[in-house]
């Protein structure tokens, strides 16, 4: 994938197939996942301080960004596989 010449801005370049696969399967760290679940549960009960709300917002932003990267990695892998099937 390092020599991919394309105008598709969603393609991730400079990564090997193994790196793209690892990225596509990546998860939030176990510590962050536990913290996120705790904050979400307590938020539903309106029991968060201002600092905890800020932490929850930061974790949700991380989840959003991770999901975007994972989707782009899967998209890149799919394009790579289609290119070599033709």
């Amino acid at each position: 994938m390092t020599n991919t010449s394309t105008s598709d801005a969603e393609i991730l370049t400079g990564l090997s197939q193994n790196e793209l696969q690892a990225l596509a399967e990546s998860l939030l760290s176990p510590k962050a996942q536990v913290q996120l679940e705790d904050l979400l549960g307590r938020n539903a009960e309106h029991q968060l301080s201002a600092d905890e709300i800020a932490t929850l917002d930061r974790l949700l932003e991380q989840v959003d960004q991770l999901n975007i990267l994972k989707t782009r990695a899967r998209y890149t892998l799919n394009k790579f596989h289609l290119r070599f099937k033709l």
Side-chain angles (χ1 to χ4, degrees):
M1 293 300 322
T2 56
N3 293 329
T4 302
S5 60
T6 181
S7 61
D8 190 339
E10 298 303 321
I11 296 285
L12 296 175
T13 59
L15 298 170
S16 71
Q17 245 187 300
N18 287 339
E19 291 167 330
L20 287 166
Q21 192 64 44
L23 182 56
E25 296 172 5
S26 62
L27 300 170
L28 200 56
S29 74
K31 179 181 175 183
Q33 185 64 45
V34 167
Q35 185 180 27
L36 177 61
E37 290 169 7
D38 173 61
L39 290 171
L40 285 171
R42 293 191 305 129
N43 187 56
E45 299 170 1
H46 307 288
Q47 297 179 353
L48 294 183
S49 68
D51 286 344
E52 289 171 323
I53 291 171
T55 299
L56 176 58
D57 288 343
R58 181 182 51 78
L59 287 169
L60 291 172
E61 178 65 24
Q62 286 178 2
V63 169
D64 288 345
Q65 291 302 314
L66 182 58
N67 284 333
I68 290 168
L69 283 171
K70 289 170 64 167
T71 300
R72 289 182 65 198
R74 286 190 297 269
Y75 178 76
T76 302
L77 286 167
N78 186 43
K79 290 289 189 176
F80 178 77
H81 291 300
L82 288 176
R83 181 174 158 196
F84 287 101
K85 282 185 179 181
L86 299 176

